Amino acid sequence: MTPPPLLHAFRRGTWQPSLDTAEPPGQGGVRLSLIPEIVAAADRRWWDGVAPGLPPAPADRRALLLRALDLFEHGVLTPGGLGPQSGDQFRTALWRTAGLPAALVDRWCGMLRSTLTNRRIPVPDTALALVSLPGNTFTCLESVLEQAERSAAVWVRPSRREPLSAARLVAALLAAGWPPERLALYPTGQQALTGLIALTDRQIVFGGAGLAASVRASAALTLRGPGRGCALVPASSATADAVDWLLPLIAADSGRFCSNVRTVVCAGPAEPLATALAVALDAIRPEPADPVWPLTAFREPEEAHRTARSVTDRLAPEDRILTRTPAVAEGPGGDIYVLPQLVLIDQGRRQTGPHPLIGHEVPFPFAAVVSATGPAAAAITDGSLFVYRPLPDAAARRGTP
């Protein structure tokens, strides 16, 4: 039986395998090389030795990054150990391993490009930067592009759950002409992250509350954790208008962004809006993929059930789930999904702190709806990184973070 291909690390300017490996979830049949912390420490010493003698970094980095994005989206690339990979093969691999439908891959590729072109060109410096990525969306690769444009070198730590997009971006950068010594891909175990942070000069780290508690804060570390997005609905809002405004905030990108709305705060009665919003969420279908709101599949059934239980386990006796579809469903093709969920909660009845569903983040479309004003509403917005309010113009209902 032919063993599955091994995705290599990229270090010291070349793709290199490792004897320490892990297997991502899904049906992709790919193993992932893992780099021990002691190897990364040796590579930092190597970088300090070679950096002064390297040719200058590219003068027009933006042009190279745009070329790399073209290749990332459509080109035939060779991430180390995987062999040649077309854009279509990349999309197939992401579906098999991470459950990402092609419609989302296309949308997220476009978001990478728009984020890059809309960002001001930074002033280059001499830092060795680290970007540690999450597994929920590859749009966080925009931080890799940002640090590549700014830094003397960038080390990328991919998610073990979804390493393929990071490896493809590294291959795209190399194919576009990026200096190989100024780039690295370091798949590691979770325990090695602290070591990578200590080895580098500047760090962008994505993760949740547990990760935030495990890493030591420093002036050079930017931790991008939960957004706990919320939307404020005025008492004067018409229900249909509010649903039209809220649906993309909750359901876009399969609910996987930290900017997605998790809590809807109604200044007036919450139940009429919650009921109508639940109907709209129930209309989102997994297969065939909804053309506007495609859902991601879960490649580990137990993870799907565990994720769904994270909502039901936080319910209080007075709470009601208003969506009528099952929490976990199997599509006609046998793929497992966690379907959109909406809960109506009564924060006023709780006497012991905030409701555990307020700001609760899960990798599928989910929102808790609550009626609150004054200090109760302020407590929710104070804990939210993204707060959306309806625009005065009813024709432009995207919210303003």
Side-chain angles (χ1 to χ4, degrees), residues 40 90 113 118 126 188 203 258-259 345:
F90 171 57
R113 177 174 295 278
N118 291 330
T126 60
T188 72
Q203 308 86 29
C258 64
S259 56
I345 64 177

Side-chain angles (χ1 to χ4, degrees), residues 58-303:
D60 191 356
R61 303 190 196 189
R62 178 63 57 93
L64 285 182
L65 294 179
L66 289 170
R67 171 61 178 154
L69 285 181
D70 285 339
L71 294 168
F72 178 83
E73 188 170 3
H74 301 296
V76 176
L77 299 168
T78 308
L82 300 187
Q85 181 194 69
S86 69
D88 288 342
Q89 289 170 326
F90 171 57
R91 286 158 176 77
T92 298
L94 284 185
W95 171 248
R96 288 177 175 172
T97 59
L100 300 182
L104 269 187
V105 175
D106 293 342
R107 170 173 163 79
W108 291 356
C109 285
M111 293 178 72
L112 283 175
R113 177 174 295 278
S114 63
T115 301
L116 174 64
T117 55
N118 291 330
R119 187 176 61 233
R120 187 174 300 175
I121 295 177
V123 177
D125 58 29
T126 60
L128 172 59
L130 168 71
V131 180
S132 179
L133 295 163
N136 58 322
T137 166
F138 68 74
T139 57
C140 296
L141 289 171
E142 62 90 11
S143 290
V144 175
L145 300 174
E146 178 187 24
Q147 292 305 313
E149 195 168 25
R150 176 185 178 187
S151 311
V154 58
W155 288 3
V156 183
R157 178 182 179 268
S159 164
R160 290 176 61 177
R161 181 169 296 280
E162 196 286 274
L164 299 181
S165 59
R168 184 170 173 85
L169 181 61
V170 169
L173 286 165
L174 295 169
W178 204 265
E181 298 85 359
R182 298 183 181 275
L183 192 61
L185 182 75
Y186 282 100
T188 72
Q190 184 66 38
Q191 70 280 1
L193 176 57
T194 302
L196 287 178
I197 291 173
L199 289 169
T200 49
D201 304 321
R202 179 170 53 242
Q203 308 86 29
I204 309 295
V205 177
F206 292 84
L211 176 63
S214 68
V215 299
R216 181 176 298 176
S218 72
L221 172 65
T222 300
L223 183 62
R224 297 184 178 173
R228 300 187 180 90
C230 72
L232 304 179
V233 181
S236 59
S237 294
T239 296
D241 288 345
V243 170
D244 288 345
W245 173 58
L246 289 168
L247 187 61
L249 294 176
I250 297 169
D253 303 296
S254 198
R256 289 196 165 215
F257 287 7
C258 64
S259 56
N260 281 113
V261 163
R262 312 295 178 172
T263 310
V264 177
V265 184
C266 299
E271 186 163 356
L273 172 59
T275 301
L277 188 54
V279 171
L281 290 171
D282 277 335
I284 298 174
R285 61 187 184 276
E287 295 181 22
D290 190 289
V292 181
W293 318 120
L295 298 176
T296 53
F298 281 67
R299 291 306 178 212
E300 296 174 299
E302 179 50 39
E303 182 198 3

Side-chain angles (χ1 to χ4, degrees), residues 366-391:
F366 164 77
V369 183
V370 61
S371 180
T373 57
I380 295 172
T381 59
D382 287 347
S384 302
L385 183 60
F386 297 92
V387 179
Y388 297 86
R389 298 174 176 84
L391 294 176

Side-chain angles (χ1 to χ4, degrees), residues 295-387:
L295 298 176
T296 53
F298 281 67
R299 291 306 178 212
E300 296 174 299
E302 179 50 39
E303 182 198 3
H305 289 281
R306 184 170 58 250
T307 300
R309 286 196 302 270
S310 76
V311 172
T312 55
D313 288 349
R314 288 169 168 80
L315 290 173
E318 63 271 17
D319 299 332
R320 287 185 287 154
I321 299 177
L322 296 186
T323 38
R324 295 181 179 273
T325 53
V328 179
E330 181 176 334
D335 297 298
I336 303 298
Y337 298 86
V338 182
L339 299 186
Q341 300 288 300
L342 185 133
V343 173
L344 177 64
I345 64 177
D346 187 352
Q347 178 73 350
R349 294 188 187 181
R350 297 182 61 86
Q351 305 297 322
T352 56
H355 196 292
L357 283 176
I358 289 179
H360 180 53
E361 295 196 352
V362 285
F364 66 91
F366 164 77
V369 183
V370 61
S371 180
T373 57
I380 295 172
T381 59
D382 287 347
S384 302
L385 183 60
F386 297 92
V387 179

